[in-house]
Amino acid sequence: MTTIQPVDTAAGADVCCAGADCDLLPAAEADVIADVFKALADPTRVRLLRYLAQSEAGTACACHLPDALGITQPTLSFHMAKLHGAGLVTREKRGRWVHWTVRPEALAGVRGFLDLPTPDQSTCC
């Protein structure tokens, strides 16, 4: 059981940590990044994106995906629509099948966002 210790407010009354010394992420950029995170918030979509990324040339025919991932064709269509809507994949109709391709450049903004500096815990609170 964890015991919560009271904070000694007399020693550091009104201690407040300063905010970041930078501008907030623009709302439009935050929306794009949030859409990517929403698309990747489902394990099936994470698996699909990984499967495509590791496929030859980063592309795969939709005919192979249901069996490879143990899902049905309607489930595949639903999840691929989410990945496509977030701009993570492109589709190309070849005959009766769709070929899906990963868009690595779509993840560049997320990579940059996740490369956050480690906060210095010793200077505040």
Side-chain angles (χ1 to χ4, degrees):
M1 184 169 156
T2 304
T3 305
I4 298 174
Q5 299 295 325
V7 176
D8 183 7
T9 55
D14 292 333
V15 173
C16 180
C17 296
D21 189 23
C22 67
D23 293 331
L24 285 172
L25 186 66
E29 190 175 339
D31 286 342
V32 170
I33 291 171
D35 285 344
V36 170
F37 283 133
K38 286 177 195 174
L40 294 176
D42 183 280
T44 299
R45 291 193 286 271
V46 171
R47 293 178 67 217
L48 279 165
L49 192 65
R50 176 74 179 251
Y51 182 89
L52 290 173
Q54 291 184 341
S55 297
E56 188 175 328
T59 188
C61 179
C63 64
H64 299 293
L65 298 174
D67 289 340
L69 294 157
I71 59 177
T72 64
Q73 186 65 44
T75 300
L76 172 68
S77 296
F78 171 80
H79 288 300
M80 292 309 297
K82 297 287 185 180
L83 292 173
H84 186 262
L88 296 172
V89 296
T90 60
R91 62 180 168 217
E92 178 187 353
K93 183 99 165 150
R94 298 180 193 171
R96 61 178 259 177
W97 293 106
V98 172
H99 286 249
W100 295 97
T101 305
V102 173
R103 294 186 59 238
E105 68 276 8
L107 293 172
V110 174
R111 277 192 203 101
F113 175 78
L114 292 175
D115 191 22
L116 298 172
T118 304
D120 182 6
Q121 297 294 331
S122 65
T123 60
C124 183
C125 306

